[in-house]
Amino acid sequence: MSRWKELPAELHPQVHQLIVRLRRLKDHSELSTRRLAVKTGYSAKSWQRYLNGRSLPPLEAVEAMARIGGDDPARLLVTHEIAAQRWAEGRTAATGTPEDSSATPPEHTPTERQPYGRLLRVVVAAGAVVTVLSVSAALLLAVRLTDARAQLARDRADADVTTPATVSASLVPVIYTCRLEQRDGRWYAGLSRTRDILLSNTQVGLEVAEAQCLLRRAGTAPGDIDGVFGPKTRRAVERMQKQNGLIVNGVIDPPTWQALREVAPK
């Protein structure tokens, strides 16, 4: 069991609750921060900040920790959402109001033009935020893809697998082979036997490739079976959910896994 440092006293109780749960999951997994970094795509230093209350972990990091620690991702993500709100409120309270609305405008600038200037600044700032988020999402996907494939290659080596590796540590696309078979009334593609792991945008790995194989079998082809949960896979999931009367959220949750395992081919 890890000997944890005491969390900062100024943390909101709901932020404190999230971090304590993450610490318990890490203890349960018996992983070092370095191994945790390999499995989640977030650096060891980042996890040290998250678990010591110096930085709020992002949603994807919390979801990854839930899967690794065997916790219910949905419940943990609700806890994260509440903690994120309290964290933002605390930062706003610490920095104060950014501008004084009672200040008199400069004499050389007509008062009636101020709203248009503010609107322009807002539009420019919003465009910059969208650009940063788009670049961040692309980098996150690239990092996860690299780490997941490198980890799979190491796992194969540890297991003394003699067949040619199907992954590489580069970003060169990898195509997996679907080996469909039916057992006990359920379909499997030979890549993963999971029935409850949550899969969504930017995630990579064998579970994603398994789902892609089953989506293709169900008649909603996601494109290449590359183990990358991208836009094509999300659209395929949404079509499959709509056809089977499920909640259309583009996320492979337990009800969607059940339908994929049991649905008749189109």
Side-chain angles (χ1 to χ4, degrees):
M1 184 69 68
S2 300
R3 299 182 62 182
W4 295 103
K5 296 181 180 178
E6 185 175 355
L7 290 172
E10 64 271 16
L11 285 181
H12 190 280
Q14 288 169 318
V15 178
H16 187 281
Q17 178 185 2
L18 172 67
I19 296 174
V20 169
R21 288 187 64 180
L22 292 175
R23 285 180 169 187
R24 289 174 181 171
L25 290 174
K26 180 185 178 297
D27 288 339
H28 180 70
S29 70
E30 299 183 349
L31 294 176
S32 66
T33 51
R34 292 183 62 185
R35 292 292 298 168
L36 194 60
V38 171
K39 288 185 173 293
T40 64
Y42 293 87
S43 68
K45 290 185 178 180
S46 294
W47 277 113
Q48 290 170 5
R49 292 196 304 270
Y50 302 154
L51 296 172
N52 286 301
R54 298 196 302 271
S55 179
L56 186 72
L59 183 69
E60 293 82 359
V62 173
E63 185 177 3
M65 180 66 89
R67 294 197 307 272
I68 292 170
D71 198 0
D72 180 5
R75 292 178 56 189
L76 193 59
L77 293 181
V78 170
T79 303
H80 175 269
E81 182 178 359
I82 297 172
Q85 293 174 355
R86 299 297 177 262
W87 184 276
E89 291 169 1
R91 291 176 62 86
T92 301
T95 57
T97 305
E99 60 182 4
D100 183 0
S101 59
S102 64
T104 303
E107 294 182 358
H108 65 277
T109 304
T111 303
E112 61 271 15
R113 288 194 177 185
Q114 289 301 308
Y116 298 100
R118 293 194 189 98
L119 179 60
L120 179 60
R121 290 195 295 273
V122 169
V123 171
V124 172
V129 169
V130 171
T131 300
V132 170
L133 290 177
S134 299
V135 172
S136 299
L139 290 175
L140 175 60
L141 179 58
V143 169
R144 286 188 173 185
L145 183 60
T146 301
D147 289 345
R149 290 174 175 169
Q151 178 60 31
L152 183 55
R154 286 192 291 270
D155 291 344
R156 290 171 61 87
D158 292 342
D160 194 24
V161 176
T162 57
T163 55
T166 58
V167 297
S168 69
S170 69
L171 295 182
V172 176
V174 173
I175 304 301
Y176 295 92
T177 300
C178 301
R179 297 180 176 86
L180 292 168
E181 62 176 344
Q182 194 172 23
R183 293 183 181 178
D184 300 325
R186 295 187 178 90
W187 286 95
Y188 297 92
L191 297 169
S192 172
R193 299 186 64 82
T194 183
R195 286 187 284 171
D196 53 13
I197 290 180
L198 288 178
L199 298 177
S200 57
N201 275 338
T202 76
Q203 291 185 294
V204 297
L206 292 176
E207 290 82 5
V208 176
E210 174 81 7
Q212 290 173 330
C213 289
L214 297 177
L215 285 166
R216 175 180 290 179
R217 193 199 66 82
T220 54
D224 292 335
I225 309 300
D226 56 6
V228 180
F229 200 122
K232 289 184 179 180
T233 299
R234 180 182 178 87
R235 288 193 293 269
V237 172
E238 291 173 346
R239 292 196 303 272
M240 182 269 177
Q241 289 172 330
K242 184 176 181 181
Q243 292 174 5
N244 288 273
L246 302 173
I247 296 176
V248 181
N249 55 15
V251 175
I252 301 180
D253 49 20
T256 305
W257 273 117
Q258 181 177 353
L260 284 172
R261 296 290 189 197
E262 299 177 356
V263 68
K266 301 296 181 182

